Amino acid sequence: MQTITTIGLDIAKSVFQIHGVGADGQVVIRRQVKRRYVLAFFSKLPPCLVGIEACASSHHWSRELKALGHTVRLMPPAYVKPYVKSQKNDAADAEAICEAVTRANMRFVATKTPEQQSCLTLHRTRHLFIRQQTAVINVIRAHFAEFGIVAPVGRKGVEELLDVVADPSDKRIPVIVRACLTALGAQLRRLKEQILEFDRVIMAWHRSNEASRRLDAIPGVGPILATALVASVADPKVFRSGRTFSAWIGLVPKQHSSGGKDRLGSISKQGDRYLRSLLMAGALAVIRYARIHSTKHRPWLTALLARRPTKIAAIALANKIARMAWAMMTRGERYKEPVAHAA
C-alpha cells in the first residue's frame, strides 16, 4: 500500500472517519475507526500530517497524536466547510479536512495544554454558576411580585426579599410559596459560595502563572481576564499582529468593501464571546474610573469620550487593551505606562 502522507480525521463521540492520501494526492485509505482503536491505528503509521477540526475533544486528540510522532494541525470548522464538495457526511467531512490542512493560506489553531484547558474549565463553570445565580434571582423577584412585594435593584434588594421569607410572622406570602422561596434562597446562597470558591481557585492559578501576572498590570485587566487570556491563547505568535488578535476576539468593524471603497460597519462579534465580554467590562471600568478621577493622564481616551458615546469608546478601548495584551504575550514584556501618565 502506498505510504500515507496526509490524513483528514473527522472526530466524533464513538466512530471516527479517516481519509488519507499519498504524496501524489491520490486517496490511499478511507475508512471508519471506533474510538478505542484510533490510537492503535495511528501508532502503526509512519509520521504524517493529520488535520482535525478544532471542536470538542480536538485538543486531547492533538496531544495524543503528537505523542505518537505525527504532525497535527487544528483548523476552525468554518474554514473547512468550503472544501466539502458533496452532501455533508462523515466521509465528505474527512475528505474536506484532508484537503484543507494542506492549503498554504489556511489558519490553524494552536493546541492547548492540559493546564490551559483546566483554567478554561474553571472559567466556564464559574460563568455557568453566575448565569444560574442571575436566573434564580429573577425567579425570586418574579414570585414576590406576584404577591405585590417588590424590592430595589441590586444585592440589598434580594436580601430584603429573603428576609421576608425568613420571617414567619409576615403573612403576605402563602405557606406553599414560602417553602418554594426558602428552597430558592438556599440555592442562591449555595451558588454564591461556589462562585467565591472558584474565584479563589482562579486567583491561585493567576498567582502561579507569570504571564497572567504580567497582563494584570494593564489598566482594565484583572485576574479573571488575565487568566482567561493566557488559557485561551495557546500560542499568541499564531496571530500576525495585534489587530489580527483583536479581530479573532471580534472587536474590529465588519467590512463591506468593494471597488477600492472601504465600508466599515459595526464590530464583527466573531470569535470568543467570553473574552470579548470581559474586555468590554474592563474597558468600561477604566472609563468609569477616568470620569471620576479625571482623564488628564489619558488624552486619547479623553478626546474619544468627547466625541463618541460611552459604549463606542469602550469598544475602542477594549480593542486597544486586546492589542496591548497580545504584544505583551508575544514579546514577554511587562506593561509600560504611557509617557503622559508617567509624568
PDB file of all heavy atoms in Angstrom, residues 54-86:
ATOM      1  N   ALA A  54     -11.068  22.032  14.893  1.00  0.00           N
ATOM      2  CA  ALA A  54     -10.933  22.487  16.274  1.00  0.00           C
ATOM      3  C   ALA A  54     -12.312  22.530  16.931  1.00  0.00           C
ATOM      4  O   ALA A  54     -13.002  23.539  16.902  1.00  0.00           O
ATOM      5  CB  ALA A  54     -10.275  23.864  16.317  1.00  0.00           C
ATOM      6  N   CYS A  55     -12.699  21.404  17.500  1.00  0.00           N
ATOM      7  CA  CYS A  55     -14.005  21.302  18.161  1.00  0.00           C
ATOM      8  C   CYS A  55     -13.824  20.502  19.452  1.00  0.00           C
ATOM      9  O   CYS A  55     -12.696  20.318  19.919  1.00  0.00           O
ATOM     10  CB  CYS A  55     -15.024  20.655  17.232  1.00  0.00           C
ATOM     11  SG  CYS A  55     -14.500  19.052  16.609  1.00  0.00           S
ATOM     12  N   ALA A  56     -14.910  20.034  20.026  1.00  0.00           N
ATOM     13  CA  ALA A  56     -14.848  19.326  21.297  1.00  0.00           C
ATOM     14  C   ALA A  56     -13.913  18.126  21.215  1.00  0.00           C
ATOM     15  O   ALA A  56     -14.004  17.327  20.287  1.00  0.00           O
ATOM     16  CB  ALA A  56     -16.250  18.871  21.700  1.00  0.00           C
ATOM     17  N   SER A  57     -13.024  18.020  22.180  1.00  0.00           N
ATOM     18  CA  SER A  57     -12.028  16.945  22.347  1.00  0.00           C
ATOM     19  C   SER A  57     -10.901  16.997  21.337  1.00  0.00           C
ATOM     20  O   SER A  57     -10.016  16.126  21.354  1.00  0.00           O
ATOM     21  CB  SER A  57     -12.690  15.552  22.309  1.00  0.00           C
ATOM     22  OG  SER A  57     -13.034  15.167  20.993  1.00  0.00           O
ATOM     23  N   SER A  58     -10.856  17.991  20.463  1.00  0.00           N
ATOM     24  CA  SER A  58      -9.809  18.041  19.431  1.00  0.00           C
ATOM     25  C   SER A  58      -8.425  18.266  20.036  1.00  0.00           C
ATOM     26  O   SER A  58      -7.430  17.712  19.552  1.00  0.00           O
ATOM     27  CB  SER A  58     -10.122  19.142  18.419  1.00  0.00           C
ATOM     28  OG  SER A  58     -10.190  20.408  19.049  1.00  0.00           O
ATOM     29  N   HIS A  59      -8.335  19.070  21.102  1.00  0.00           N
ATOM     30  CA  HIS A  59      -7.031  19.328  21.713  1.00  0.00           C
ATOM     31  C   HIS A  59      -6.480  18.063  22.370  1.00  0.00           C
ATOM     32  O   HIS A  59      -5.268  17.825  22.361  1.00  0.00           O
ATOM     33  CB  HIS A  59      -7.145  20.463  22.732  1.00  0.00           C
ATOM     34  CG  HIS A  59      -7.454  21.789  22.110  1.00  0.00           C
ATOM     35  ND1 HIS A  59      -6.486  22.621  21.603  1.00  0.00           N
ATOM     36  CD2 HIS A  59      -8.635  22.424  21.898  1.00  0.00           C
ATOM     37  CE1 HIS A  59      -7.040  23.715  21.108  1.00  0.00           C
ATOM     38  NE2 HIS A  59      -8.350  23.624  21.277  1.00  0.00           N
ATOM     39  N   HIS A  60      -7.371  17.250  22.931  1.00  0.00           N
ATOM     40  CA  HIS A  60      -6.940  15.981  23.523  1.00  0.00           C
ATOM     41  C   HIS A  60      -6.338  15.078  22.444  1.00  0.00           C
ATOM     42  O   HIS A  60      -5.241  14.528  22.620  1.00  0.00           O
ATOM     43  CB  HIS A  60      -8.124  15.288  24.193  1.00  0.00           C
ATOM     44  CG  HIS A  60      -7.910  13.829  24.438  1.00  0.00           C
ATOM     45  ND1 HIS A  60      -7.074  13.361  25.430  1.00  0.00           N
ATOM     46  CD2 HIS A  60      -8.397  12.724  23.806  1.00  0.00           C
ATOM     47  CE1 HIS A  60      -7.061  12.037  25.410  1.00  0.00           C
ATOM     48  NE2 HIS A  60      -7.863  11.625  24.435  1.00  0.00           N
ATOM     49  N   TRP A  61      -7.042  14.928  21.327  1.00  0.00           N
ATOM     50  CA  TRP A  61      -6.549  14.056  20.268  1.00  0.00           C
ATOM     51  C   TRP A  61      -5.292  14.620  19.628  1.00  0.00           C
ATOM     52  O   TRP A  61      -4.403  13.857  19.201  1.00  0.00           O
ATOM     53  CB  TRP A  61      -7.639  13.837  19.223  1.00  0.00           C
ATOM     54  CG  TRP A  61      -8.746  12.962  19.719  1.00  0.00           C
ATOM     55  CD1 TRP A  61     -10.022  13.331  20.002  1.00  0.00           C
ATOM     56  CD2 TRP A  61      -8.649  11.561  20.027  1.00  0.00           C
ATOM     57  NE1 TRP A  61     -10.744  12.247  20.472  1.00  0.00           N
ATOM     58  CE2 TRP A  61      -9.918  11.151  20.492  1.00  0.00           C
ATOM     59  CE3 TRP A  61      -7.623  10.629  19.969  1.00  0.00           C
ATOM     60  CZ2 TRP A  61     -10.182   9.841  20.874  1.00  0.00           C
ATOM     61  CZ3 TRP A  61      -7.879   9.324  20.352  1.00  0.00           C
ATOM     62  CH2 TRP A  61      -9.140   8.941  20.797  1.00  0.00           C
ATOM     63  N   SER A  62      -5.185  15.932  19.574  1.00  0.00           N
ATOM     64  CA  SER A  62      -3.968  16.539  19.041  1.00  0.00           C
ATOM     65  C   SER A  62      -2.762  16.177  19.904  1.00  0.00           C
ATOM     66  O   SER A  62      -1.694  15.796  19.386  1.00  0.00           O
ATOM     67  CB  SER A  62      -4.128  18.060  18.986  1.00  0.00           C
ATOM     68  OG  SER A  62      -2.935  18.682  18.572  1.00  0.00           O
ATOM     69  N   ARG A  63      -2.912  16.271  21.217  1.00  0.00           N
ATOM     70  CA  ARG A  63      -1.802  15.920  22.106  1.00  0.00           C
ATOM     71  C   ARG A  63      -1.444  14.440  21.988  1.00  0.00           C
ATOM     72  O   ARG A  63      -0.265  14.061  21.983  1.00  0.00           O
ATOM     73  CB  ARG A  63      -2.155  16.273  23.549  1.00  0.00           C
ATOM     74  CG  ARG A  63      -2.277  17.768  23.825  1.00  0.00           C
ATOM     75  CD  ARG A  63      -2.338  18.054  25.305  1.00  0.00           C
ATOM     76  NE  ARG A  63      -3.538  17.481  25.925  1.00  0.00           N
ATOM     77  CZ  ARG A  63      -4.674  18.140  26.117  1.00  0.00           C
ATOM     78  NH1 ARG A  63      -4.781  19.406  25.703  1.00  0.00           N
ATOM     79  NH2 ARG A  63      -5.706  17.568  26.701  1.00  0.00           N
ATOM     80  N   GLU A  64      -2.467  13.577  21.904  1.00  0.00           N
ATOM     81  CA  GLU A  64      -2.220  12.139  21.827  1.00  0.00           C
ATOM     82  C   GLU A  64      -1.495  11.762  20.529  1.00  0.00           C
ATOM     83  O   GLU A  64      -0.559  10.946  20.538  1.00  0.00           O
ATOM     84  CB  GLU A  64      -3.549  11.379  21.918  1.00  0.00           C
ATOM     85  CG  GLU A  64      -4.239  11.483  23.271  1.00  0.00           C
ATOM     86  CD  GLU A  64      -3.479  10.758  24.364  1.00  0.00           C
ATOM     87  OE1 GLU A  64      -2.820   9.740  24.052  1.00  0.00           O
ATOM     88  OE2 GLU A  64      -3.529  11.203  25.525  1.00  0.00           O
ATOM     89  N   LEU A  65      -1.921  12.345  19.412  1.00  0.00           N
ATOM     90  CA  LEU A  65      -1.300  12.007  18.130  1.00  0.00           C
ATOM     91  C   LEU A  65       0.100  12.607  18.005  1.00  0.00           C
ATOM     92  O   LEU A  65       0.986  12.010  17.383  1.00  0.00           O
ATOM     93  CB  LEU A  65      -2.185  12.478  16.975  1.00  0.00           C
ATOM     94  CG  LEU A  65      -3.560  11.795  16.881  1.00  0.00           C
ATOM     95  CD1 LEU A  65      -4.357  12.342  15.710  1.00  0.00           C
ATOM     96  CD2 LEU A  65      -3.415  10.282  16.765  1.00  0.00           C
ATOM     97  N   LYS A  66       0.308  13.774  18.593  1.00  0.00           N
ATOM     98  CA  LYS A  66       1.653  14.346  18.595  1.00  0.00           C
ATOM     99  C   LYS A  66       2.613  13.463  19.384  1.00  0.00           C
ATOM    100  O   LYS A  66       3.786  13.331  19.023  1.00  0.00           O
ATOM    101  CB  LYS A  66       1.627  15.755  19.188  1.00  0.00           C
ATOM    102  CG  LYS A  66       1.087  16.823  18.249  1.00  0.00           C
ATOM    103  CD  LYS A  66       1.144  18.193  18.888  1.00  0.00           C
ATOM    104  CE  LYS A  66       0.667  19.272  17.911  1.00  0.00           C
ATOM    105  NZ  LYS A  66       0.702  20.614  18.539  1.00  0.00           N
ATOM    106  N   ALA A  67       2.114  12.862  20.465  1.00  0.00           N
ATOM    107  CA  ALA A  67       2.959  11.962  21.257  1.00  0.00           C
ATOM    108  C   ALA A  67       3.391  10.744  20.453  1.00  0.00           C
ATOM    109  O   ALA A  67       4.430  10.133  20.754  1.00  0.00           O
ATOM    110  CB  ALA A  67       2.209  11.529  22.518  1.00  0.00           C
ATOM    111  N   LEU A  68       2.617  10.386  19.425  1.00  0.00           N
ATOM    112  CA  LEU A  68       2.975   9.256  18.559  1.00  0.00           C
ATOM    113  C   LEU A  68       3.906   9.658  17.423  1.00  0.00           C
ATOM    114  O   LEU A  68       4.281   8.817  16.604  1.00  0.00           O
ATOM    115  CB  LEU A  68       1.703   8.628  17.974  1.00  0.00           C
ATOM    116  CG  LEU A  68       0.749   7.973  18.981  1.00  0.00           C
ATOM    117  CD1 LEU A  68      -0.512   7.492  18.278  1.00  0.00           C
ATOM    118  CD2 LEU A  68       1.424   6.820  19.717  1.00  0.00           C
ATOM    119  N   GLY A  69       4.253  10.946  17.348  1.00  0.00           N
ATOM    120  CA  GLY A  69       5.194  11.411  16.332  1.00  0.00           C
ATOM    121  C   GLY A  69       4.574  12.076  15.128  1.00  0.00           C
ATOM    122  O   GLY A  69       5.291  12.469  14.207  1.00  0.00           O
ATOM    123  N   HIS A  70       3.253  12.219  15.101  1.00  0.00           N
ATOM    124  CA  HIS A  70       2.585  12.833  13.957  1.00  0.00           C
ATOM    125  C   HIS A  70       2.564  14.361  14.089  1.00  0.00           C
ATOM    126  O   HIS A  70       2.640  14.904  15.205  1.00  0.00           O
ATOM    127  CB  HIS A  70       1.159  12.306  13.824  1.00  0.00           C
ATOM    128  CG  HIS A  70       1.086  10.821  13.603  1.00  0.00           C
ATOM    129  ND1 HIS A  70       1.423  10.237  12.399  1.00  0.00           N
ATOM    130  CD2 HIS A  70       0.731   9.804  14.430  1.00  0.00           C
ATOM    131  CE1 HIS A  70       1.268   8.926  12.491  1.00  0.00           C
ATOM    132  NE2 HIS A  70       0.853   8.635  13.712  1.00  0.00           N
ATOM    133  N   THR A  71       2.434  15.039  12.970  1.00  0.00           N
ATOM    134  CA  THR A  71       2.247  16.489  12.948  1.00  0.00           C
ATOM    135  C   THR A  71       0.754  16.770  12.863  1.00  0.00           C
ATOM    136  O   THR A  71       0.090  16.356  11.895  1.00  0.00           O
ATOM    137  CB  THR A  71       2.959  17.127  11.742  1.00  0.00           C
ATOM    138  OG1 THR A  71       4.357  16.820  11.818  1.00  0.00           O
ATOM    139  CG2 THR A  71       2.769  18.632  11.737  1.00  0.00           C
ATOM    140  N   VAL A  72       0.207  17.447  13.859  1.00  0.00           N
ATOM    141  CA  VAL A  72      -1.237  17.666  13.944  1.00  0.00           C
ATOM    142  C   VAL A  72      -1.530  19.147  13.749  1.00  0.00           C
ATOM    143  O   VAL A  72      -0.878  20.011  14.351  1.00  0.00           O
ATOM    144  CB  VAL A  72      -1.793  17.184  15.300  1.00  0.00           C
ATOM    145  CG1 VAL A  72      -3.311  17.345  15.334  1.00  0.00           C
ATOM    146  CG2 VAL A  72      -1.405  15.728  15.547  1.00  0.00           C
ATOM    147  N   ARG A  73      -2.497  19.436  12.911  1.00  0.00           N
ATOM    148  CA  ARG A  73      -2.949  20.810  12.674  1.00  0.00           C
ATOM    149  C   ARG A  73      -4.451  20.889  12.957  1.00  0.00           C
ATOM    150  O   ARG A  73      -5.243  20.130  12.373  1.00  0.00           O
ATOM    151  CB  ARG A  73      -2.693  21.221  11.222  1.00  0.00           C
ATOM    152  CG  ARG A  73      -1.222  21.135  10.817  1.00  0.00           C
ATOM    153  CD  ARG A  73      -0.454  22.352  11.251  1.00  0.00           C
ATOM    154  NE  ARG A  73       0.962  22.240  10.944  1.00  0.00           N
ATOM    155  CZ  ARG A  73       1.509  22.471   9.755  1.00  0.00           C
ATOM    156  NH1 ARG A  73       0.719  22.801   8.727  1.00  0.00           N
ATOM    157  NH2 ARG A  73       2.801  22.386   9.580  1.00  0.00           N
ATOM    158  N   LEU A  74      -4.832  21.800  13.843  1.00  0.00           N
ATOM    159  CA  LEU A  74      -6.243  22.045  14.142  1.00  0.00           C
ATOM    160  C   LEU A  74      -6.724  23.239  13.325  1.00  0.00           C
ATOM    161  O   LEU A  74      -6.021  24.257  13.219  1.00  0.00           O
ATOM    162  CB  LEU A  74      -6.442  22.320  15.635  1.00  0.00           C
ATOM    163  CG  LEU A  74      -5.956  21.242  16.603  1.00  0.00           C
ATOM    164  CD1 LEU A  74      -6.249  21.661  18.045  1.00  0.00           C
ATOM    165  CD2 LEU A  74      -6.600  19.912  16.307  1.00  0.00           C
ATOM    166  N   MET A  75      -7.938  23.136  12.799  1.00  0.00           N
ATOM    167  CA  MET A  75      -8.489  24.198  11.948  1.00  0.00           C
ATOM    168  C   MET A  75      -9.895  24.556  12.400  1.00  0.00           C
ATOM    169  O   MET A  75     -10.674  23.673  12.788  1.00  0.00           O
ATOM    170  CB  MET A  75      -8.538  23.738  10.483  1.00  0.00           C
ATOM    171  CG  MET A  75      -7.187  23.417   9.884  1.00  0.00           C
ATOM    172  SD  MET A  75      -7.363  22.531   8.315  1.00  0.00           S
ATOM    173  CE  MET A  75      -7.940  20.935   8.911  1.00  0.00           C
ATOM    174  N   PRO A  76     -10.263  25.835  12.353  1.00  0.00           N
ATOM    175  CA  PRO A  76     -11.647  26.207  12.654  1.00  0.00           C
ATOM    176  C   PRO A  76     -12.611  25.544  11.677  1.00  0.00           C
ATOM    177  O   PRO A  76     -12.360  25.532  10.462  1.00  0.00           O
ATOM    178  CB  PRO A  76     -11.647  27.738  12.476  1.00  0.00           C
ATOM    179  CG  PRO A  76     -10.217  28.144  12.628  1.00  0.00           C
ATOM    180  CD  PRO A  76      -9.410  27.007  12.083  1.00  0.00           C
ATOM    181  N   PRO A  77     -13.703  24.976  12.159  1.00  0.00           N
ATOM    182  CA  PRO A  77     -14.652  24.298  11.258  1.00  0.00           C
ATOM    183  C   PRO A  77     -15.170  25.191  10.135  1.00  0.00           C
ATOM    184  O   PRO A  77     -15.428  24.713   9.028  1.00  0.00           O
ATOM    185  CB  PRO A  77     -15.779  23.876  12.200  1.00  0.00           C
ATOM    186  CG  PRO A  77     -15.129  23.741  13.542  1.00  0.00           C
ATOM    187  CD  PRO A  77     -14.075  24.813  13.576  1.00  0.00           C
ATOM    188  N   ALA A  78     -15.312  26.489  10.420  1.00  0.00           N
ATOM    189  CA  ALA A  78     -15.829  27.398   9.387  1.00  0.00           C
ATOM    190  C   ALA A  78     -14.878  27.491   8.196  1.00  0.00           C
ATOM    191  O   ALA A  78     -15.316  27.744   7.065  1.00  0.00           O
ATOM    192  CB  ALA A  78     -16.045  28.789   9.986  1.00  0.00           C
ATOM    193  N   TYR A  79     -13.573  27.292   8.423  1.00  0.00           N
ATOM    194  CA  TYR A  79     -12.605  27.366   7.330  1.00  0.00           C
ATOM    195  C   TYR A  79     -12.517  26.052   6.560  1.00  0.00           C
ATOM    196  O   TYR A  79     -11.980  26.017   5.450  1.00  0.00           O
ATOM    197  CB  TYR A  79     -11.225  27.730   7.869  1.00  0.00           C
ATOM    198  CG  TYR A  79     -11.147  29.105   8.482  1.00  0.00           C
ATOM    199  CD1 TYR A  79     -10.101  29.467   9.316  1.00  0.00           C
ATOM    200  CD2 TYR A  79     -12.128  30.052   8.237  1.00  0.00           C
ATOM    201  CE1 TYR A  79     -10.025  30.728   9.886  1.00  0.00           C
ATOM    202  CE2 TYR A  79     -12.070  31.315   8.799  1.00  0.00           C
ATOM    203  CZ  TYR A  79     -11.018  31.648   9.625  1.00  0.00           C
ATOM    204  OH  TYR A  79     -10.949  32.899  10.182  1.00  0.00           O
ATOM    205  N   VAL A  80     -13.024  24.974   7.148  1.00  0.00           N
ATOM    206  CA  VAL A  80     -13.014  23.673   6.474  1.00  0.00           C
ATOM    207  C   VAL A  80     -14.260  23.507   5.601  1.00  0.00           C
ATOM    208  O   VAL A  80     -14.221  22.853   4.560  1.00  0.00           O
ATOM    209  CB  VAL A  80     -12.929  22.535   7.509  1.00  0.00           C
ATOM    210  CG1 VAL A  80     -13.000  21.170   6.844  1.00  0.00           C
ATOM    211  CG2 VAL A  80     -11.644  22.654   8.319  1.00  0.00           C
ATOM    212  N   LYS A  81     -15.357  24.108   6.007  1.00  0.00           N
ATOM    213  CA  LYS A  81     -16.640  23.912   5.329  1.00  0.00           C
ATOM    214  C   LYS A  81     -16.590  24.165   3.822  1.00  0.00           C
ATOM    215  O   LYS A  81     -17.202  23.411   3.047  1.00  0.00           O
ATOM    216  CB  LYS A  81     -17.702  24.800   5.985  1.00  0.00           C
ATOM    217  CG  LYS A  81     -19.098  24.560   5.466  1.00  0.00           C
ATOM    218  CD  LYS A  81     -20.118  25.409   6.214  1.00  0.00           C
ATOM    219  CE  LYS A  81     -21.524  25.171   5.696  1.00  0.00           C
ATOM    220  NZ  LYS A  81     -22.526  26.001   6.398  1.00  0.00           N
ATOM    221  N   PRO A  82     -15.900  25.201   3.323  1.00  0.00           N
ATOM    222  CA  PRO A  82     -15.890  25.421   1.865  1.00  0.00           C
ATOM    223  C   PRO A  82     -15.286  24.275   1.058  1.00  0.00           C
ATOM    224  O   PRO A  82     -15.488  24.208  -0.154  1.00  0.00           O
ATOM    225  CB  PRO A  82     -15.051  26.698   1.715  1.00  0.00           C
ATOM    226  CG  PRO A  82     -15.157  27.390   3.033  1.00  0.00           C
ATOM    227  CD  PRO A  82     -15.224  26.298   4.031  1.00  0.00           C
ATOM    228  N   TYR A  83     -14.544  23.382   1.701  1.00  0.00           N
ATOM    229  CA  TYR A  83     -13.901  22.286   0.976  1.00  0.00           C
ATOM    230  C   TYR A  83     -14.780  21.039   0.894  1.00  0.00           C
ATOM    231  O   TYR A  83     -14.365  20.046   0.295  1.00  0.00           O
ATOM    232  CB  TYR A  83     -12.572  21.937   1.648  1.00  0.00           C
ATOM    233  CG  TYR A  83     -11.549  23.050   1.546  1.00  0.00           C
ATOM    234  CD1 TYR A  83     -11.433  24.003   2.555  1.00  0.00           C
ATOM    235  CD2 TYR A  83     -10.726  23.162   0.437  1.00  0.00           C
ATOM    236  CE1 TYR A  83     -10.513  25.032   2.471  1.00  0.00           C
ATOM    237  CE2 TYR A  83      -9.794  24.193   0.341  1.00  0.00           C
ATOM    238  CZ  TYR A  83      -9.699  25.127   1.359  1.00  0.00           C
ATOM    239  OH  TYR A  83      -8.784  26.149   1.259  1.00  0.00           O
ATOM    240  N   VAL A  84     -15.972  21.089   1.507  1.00  0.00           N
ATOM    241  CA  VAL A  84     -16.907  19.964   1.390  1.00  0.00           C
ATOM    242  C   VAL A  84     -17.531  20.014   0.005  1.00  0.00           C
ATOM    243  O   VAL A  84     -18.229  20.965  -0.347  1.00  0.00           O
ATOM    244  CB  VAL A  84     -17.996  20.025   2.481  1.00  0.00           C
ATOM    245  CG1 VAL A  84     -18.978  18.873   2.314  1.00  0.00           C
ATOM    246  CG2 VAL A  84     -17.355  19.980   3.865  1.00  0.00           C
ATOM    247  N   LYS A  85     -17.312  18.964  -0.807  1.00  0.00           N
ATOM    248  CA  LYS A  85     -17.716  19.001  -2.217  1.00  0.00           C
ATOM    249  C   LYS A  85     -19.115  18.463  -2.457  1.00  0.00           C
ATOM    250  O   LYS A  85     -19.740  18.756  -3.462  1.00  0.00           O
ATOM    251  CB  LYS A  85     -16.720  18.188  -3.056  1.00  0.00           C
ATOM    252  CG  LYS A  85     -15.296  18.724  -3.020  1.00  0.00           C
ATOM    253  CD  LYS A  85     -14.398  17.915  -3.920  1.00  0.00           C
ATOM    254  CE  LYS A  85     -12.974  18.430  -3.910  1.00  0.00           C
ATOM    255  NZ  LYS A  85     -12.340  18.330  -2.596  1.00  0.00           N
ATOM    256  N   SER A  86     -19.597  17.614  -1.567  1.00  0.00           N
ATOM    257  CA  SER A  86     -20.903  16.985  -1.810  1.00  0.00           C
ATOM    258  C   SER A  86     -21.775  17.147  -0.579  1.00  0.00           C
ATOM    259  O   SER A  86     -21.551  18.051   0.226  1.00  0.00           O
ATOM    260  CB  SER A  86     -20.704  15.500  -2.144  1.00  0.00           C
ATOM    261  OG  SER A  86     -20.018  14.837  -1.097  1.00  0.00           O
TER     262      SER A  86
END
